Amino acid sequence: EARGVGFSYGAEQILGNVNLRIQPKTVVNIAGRSGSGKSTFLKLLMRFWDVTEGSIELSGTDIRAIDTTSLRDNESYMTQETHLFAGTVRENIALVKPEATDAELDEACRKAAILDLIGRLPQGYDTPVGELGDTLSGGERQRIGLARVFLYDAPFVLLDEPTSNLDSLNEAAVLSALEASKADKTIVLVSHRASTCMFADKTYSVENGRVS
C-alpha cells in the first residue's frame, strides 16, 4: 500500500501524493505516458530508492523497516531492458537461482516462450552468449528476462514493459503463463500495450506524477 508517496530527484518532483492499495493475488496495471513516473514507482517498491514523502507498506510494514534481503526474496523485478552478461545462456537465466535444475530451467523457459529457441542453439543452455553476438532479437532478450522472473518465483512480481518487444503469439503464451500464476502471486505491471493491459484486474493511471 502506498500512502501519500512522493519522490523527488534533486529539485525535480517525480511523484507526488500517490495513494493506492494493491490487493494480494491480483494483477495491477500502472498506466500513463512515458516519463510520468511509472517505472520510478516500481523502483520505490523494490526500494532501490526511498520515498521522500509518505510511506510504502508491505503487509502492513513500512518497507524501510524490512530487511533488504527479505524484501528481495519476496520481490522479483523485470526492467524494460534485459541485460545479458558474459557466460552461457544457462548462467544468464539461472543467475537468479544458481542451483536451478534443468527441469526448473525448462519450466521457466516454457512459461517465457523461449524453450524452443534454446533447443535450437548449438549447445542449448551451454551456448556462450558471446557466440550469439547480436543475433538475439529484442523479443528474445525480453523472454530471457521473463524466464528469470519465472525461475525466481517470488510472490510479488514487478514487470516493466514485459511484452513490448514480443509478437502477438509469444505475448499470448507469456500472458497465459502469468495468468496461471495469479493464484499465488501479486503482479504489478507497467505496459503501453492494450493487449497486455487487458490482463490486469485493476488499472491505475499516472499523470504528472500523480495516480488516479
Side-chain angles (χ1 to χ4, degrees), residues 5-174:
V5 164
F7 177 73
S8 298
Y9 186 78
E12 181 183 4
Q13 185 179 55
I14 310 298
L15 292 170
N17 197 30
V18 172
N19 294 280
L20 63 87
R21 183 176 178 84
I22 300 168
Q23 295 291 344
K25 300 180 182 179
T26 60
V27 180
V28 170
N29 175 44
I30 308 294
R33 296 179 181 177
S34 180
S36 61
K38 306 183 303 299
S39 296
T40 297
F41 183 67
L42 295 189
K43 290 181 174 70
L44 293 174
L45 291 174
M46 284 292 294
R47 210 186 163 205
F48 290 163
W49 301 313
D50 277 333
V51 300
T52 51
E53 299 173 15
S55 66
I56 295 176
E57 297 180 356
L58 186 63
S59 298
T61 301
D62 191 312
I63 63 171
R64 289 170 290 192
I66 299 174
D67 177 75
T68 303
T69 300
S70 177
L71 185 66
R72 301 287 161 77
D73 282 346
N74 286 281
E75 294 183 338
S76 181
Y77 174 48
M78 179 179 169
T79 61
Q80 292 187 44
E81 299 294 331
T82 297
H83 298 284
L84 300 181
F85 304 92
T88 64
V89 172
R90 179 193 304 274
E91 290 167 336
N92 266 273
I93 296 173
L95 60 87
V96 299
K97 189 177 180 181
E99 73 281 8
T101 64
D102 280 356
E104 290 174 318
L105 283 169
D106 284 350
E107 180 65 7
C109 291
R110 182 191 63 77
K111 292 177 178 177
I114 199 169
L115 187 59
D116 287 348
L117 170 69
I118 291 170
R120 295 195 299 270
L121 294 177
Q123 300 172 60
Y125 286 118
D126 297 318
T127 302
V129 167
E131 289 184 8
L132 300 175
D134 296 324
T135 59
L136 286 177
S137 68
E140 289 163 347
R141 288 171 179 265
Q142 201 161 44
R143 282 181 280 153
I144 287 176
L146 284 161
R148 290 171 180 165
V149 169
F150 285 119
L151 182 64
Y152 195 55
D153 200 28
F156 192 20
V157 180
L158 311 174
L159 304 174
D160 196 347
E161 298 288 356
T163 62
S164 58
N165 293 313
L166 303 188
D167 59 35
S168 58
L169 188 62
N170 284 316
E171 179 193 29
V174 167

